[in-house]
Amino acid sequence: MDATFGSGFRVLVIEDEASVLRLVTEILQMAGFGIMGVTQLAEAREQLAAEKFDLVVSDMNLPDGNGMALARELSERCADCEVVLMTAYGTLESATEAIRLGVA
């Protein structure tokens, strides 16, 4: 992978499973992205208030909330970042809602 691909871009990864957080973080770092990893939605909101991120990659199901709610919040306040949601338990309903929100 070209290490300059993600150079200059900041990514917030929100994932409560340590092994998944580590894997996603490593892949994005190898592509040159600057990464901040957190395990809870509350931590993510704190980071989003303190820093600018170009991309948010979030698990749908978190211990203190859900990634879809965060995507909705970011969409409503016109945050200048893209959102990608990950889940092992996707449904047609959740996919449809994500598409409506412009989530990848």
Side-chain angles (χ1 to χ4, degrees), residues 14-28:
I14 313 156
E15 172 59 62
D16 59 318
E17 288 287 330
S19 60
V20 175
L21 178 61
R22 188 171 41 256
L23 177 65
V24 172
T25 298
E26 287 176 10
I27 290 169
L28 291 171

Side-chain angles (χ1 to χ4, degrees), residues 9 11 33-34 44 55 70-71 78-79 102:
F9 291 99
V11 180
F33 291 94
L55 174 65
L70 179 62
C78 299

Side-chain angles (χ1 to χ4, degrees), residues 4 13 20 25 34 36-37 39 43 57 64 72 75-76 87 100 102:
T4 61
V13 180
V20 175
T25 298
M36 167 65 66
T39 59
E43 292 175 282
V57 177
D64 60 340
R72 192 175 304 106
S75 173
E76 287 171 358
T87 184
R100 283 189 195 128

Side-chain angles (χ1 to χ4, degrees), residues 14-74:
I14 313 156
E15 172 59 62
D16 59 318
E17 288 287 330
S19 60
V20 175
L21 178 61
R22 188 171 41 256
L23 177 65
V24 172
T25 298
E26 287 176 10
I27 290 169
L28 291 171
Q29 284 176 330
M30 286 181 359
F33 291 94
I35 308 297
M36 167 65 66
V38 298
T39 59
Q40 296 190 8
L41 205 50
E43 292 175 282
R45 287 184 176 114
E46 288 175 14
Q47 290 301 319
L48 286 162
E51 292 185 52
K52 180 189 178 309
F53 292 92
D54 301 292
L55 174 65
V56 173
V57 177
S58 179
D59 189 3
M60 283 271 290
N61 301 308
L62 296 160
D64 60 340
N66 107 18
M68 189 74 74
L70 179 62
R72 192 175 304 106
E73 289 171 29
L74 292 172

